[in-house]
Amino acid sequence: MNVEVTPLPGIGTRQDFMIRSGRRIGVITYRDGKFELIVSSKEDPDDCSASIPLSTTEAGTLAGLLGAPQLVAQLRDEHSDIAGISTKQFPIVPGSVFDGRTLGETELRTRTGASIVAVVRAGAVSPSPRPDFVFVGGDLVVVVGTVDGLQQTADILGGG
């Protein structure tokens, strides 16, 4: 995918690429740390047909939502030869029981047999997080385990 980076003097940068429909989608990163999701019209790539301002947290959450499925798909492919093993992602909801608590405090492996193999935060992947890894709201936790273990994981991370 060819991502075009365009400096916007005094403002920041525009990074965008063309999607299958012929439209362009991208992000303007402002010098003050704000972001803007943009969609250009099909007829004129310089004409912005939609723009959505995002805070740093919102941009990070969106990046996580877009990045985590690729990671999960890759892990599914890698585990496809192992019967009974699945991969699933779970969000850490802001203000939930595990927002601000460590991975170790979940006791997930002991309680479910499932393993947290990665955490996606603001589009960045933390592979094999250690027990002292602290979750924050908006994290996406990638877990590998049996169907039962993943269901128990949903119960624990959803309600603690």
Side-chain angles (χ1 to χ4, degrees):
M1 185 77 45
N2 183 27
V3 177
E4 291 185 25
V5 179
T6 307
L8 303 173
I11 298 172
T13 58
R14 172 183 171 156
Q15 299 175 24
D16 62 350
F17 61 95
M18 186 170 301
I19 58 177
R20 278 185 305 188
S21 70
R23 300 174 84 177
R24 297 189 70 79
I25 186 168
V27 173
I28 295 176
T29 304
Y30 291 90
R31 294 175 66 183
D32 64 2
K34 294 178 186 168
F35 299 92
E36 188 173 341
L37 178 65
I38 57 171
V39 179
S40 300
S41 71
K42 192 172 184 175
E43 296 76 28
D44 182 0
D46 292 328
D47 181 28
C48 186
S49 62
S51 140
I52 303 169
L54 300 171
S55 70
T56 302
T57 301
E58 292 164 338
T61 299
L62 179 61
L65 291 174
L66 294 172
Q70 291 178 348
L71 175 62
V72 170
Q74 180 182 352
L75 289 170
R76 280 189 184 135
D77 288 346
E78 291 174 3
H79 297 128
S80 64
D81 295 338
I82 304 171
I85 298 294
S86 299
T87 303
K88 198 164 183 177
Q89 60 186 356
F90 301 93
I92 299 295
V93 177
S96 69
V97 171
F98 292 108
D99 183 2
R101 295 179 63 187
T102 67
L103 182 154
E105 291 178 277
T106 66
E107 299 179 342
L108 199 69
R109 183 149 176 74
T110 302
R111 295 165 71 182
T112 69
S115 297
I116 295 174
V117 297
V119 177
V120 180
R121 179 180 296 162
V125 176
S126 296
S128 303
R130 299 171 44 95
D132 60 350
F133 184 93
V134 178
F135 295 123
V136 298
D139 283 351
L140 287 173
V141 179
V142 181
V143 182
V144 174
T146 63
V147 171
D148 288 343
L150 294 175
Q151 180 57 51
Q152 293 170 349
T153 298
D155 295 341
I156 291 168
L157 294 180

